């Protein structure tokens, strides 16, 4: 027995975000641009030159990722050791590791545009500017989020019936100090 409004047999589809709508189109355009630039360079300088560029980009990217990973692991180890000694871990210096890793991964991808963006991400002043922008954007998104959106997800429960119907319900917890109640008899179906 339900006390709410009858549910529609067709669930409402949530509206797709712009990012989810245009991301596949952006990736396809990026791939076409990369292939076009590689063929353009191969036509002008030769196929061997393109091959050397791609191998050099992969090698440089792997060195950058390895270096950034080691630096991040060293910082983590130092922070854990300082925390075990009872000291407050010093912050700073680790904000560029994410951009170094991203830059290295972009260098490892075959293509000239990804290599150019990867090389730009290796520049420390650009890392600081992008880090500040990303931090401000993240903080703004957190402030704009509904306070109860995630909490409501945990407050709602879905009861799956044997006939396939889903009944909306709400989880009600008894207080810890309340007297135990008699078990309820099972519902006849």
């Amino acid at each position: 027995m339900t006390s709410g409004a009858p549910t529609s047999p067709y669930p409402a589809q949530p509206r797709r975000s712009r990012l989810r709508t245009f991301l596949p189109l952006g990736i396809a355009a990026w791939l076409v641009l990369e292939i076009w630039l590689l063929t353009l360079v191969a036509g002008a300088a030769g196929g061997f030159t393109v091959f050397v560029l791609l191998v050099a980009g992969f090698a440089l990217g792997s060195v950058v990722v390895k270096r950034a990973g080691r630096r991040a692991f060293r910082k983590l180890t130092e922070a854990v050791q300082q925390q075990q000694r009872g000291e407050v871990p010093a912050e700073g210096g680790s904000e560029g590791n994410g951009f170094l890793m991203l830059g290295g991964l972009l260098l490892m991808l075959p293509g000239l545009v990804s290599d150019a963006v990867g090389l730009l991400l290796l520049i420390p002043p650009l890392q600081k500017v992008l880090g500040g922008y990303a931090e401000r954007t993240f903080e703004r998104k957190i402030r704009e989020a509904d306070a109860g959106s995630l909490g409501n997800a945990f407050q709602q429960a879905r009861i799956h019936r044997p006939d396939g119907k889903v009944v909306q319900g709400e989880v009600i917890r008894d207080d810890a100090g309340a007297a135990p109640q008699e078990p309820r008899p099972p519902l006849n179906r």
Side-chain angles (χ1 to χ4, degrees), residues 40-50:
L40 196 66
V41 170
F48 184 72
T49 305
V50 171

Side-chain angles (χ1 to χ4, degrees), residues 11-17 20:
Q13 297 262 340
R15 189 170 170 259
R16 290 182 76 167
S17 69
R20 212 170 141 202

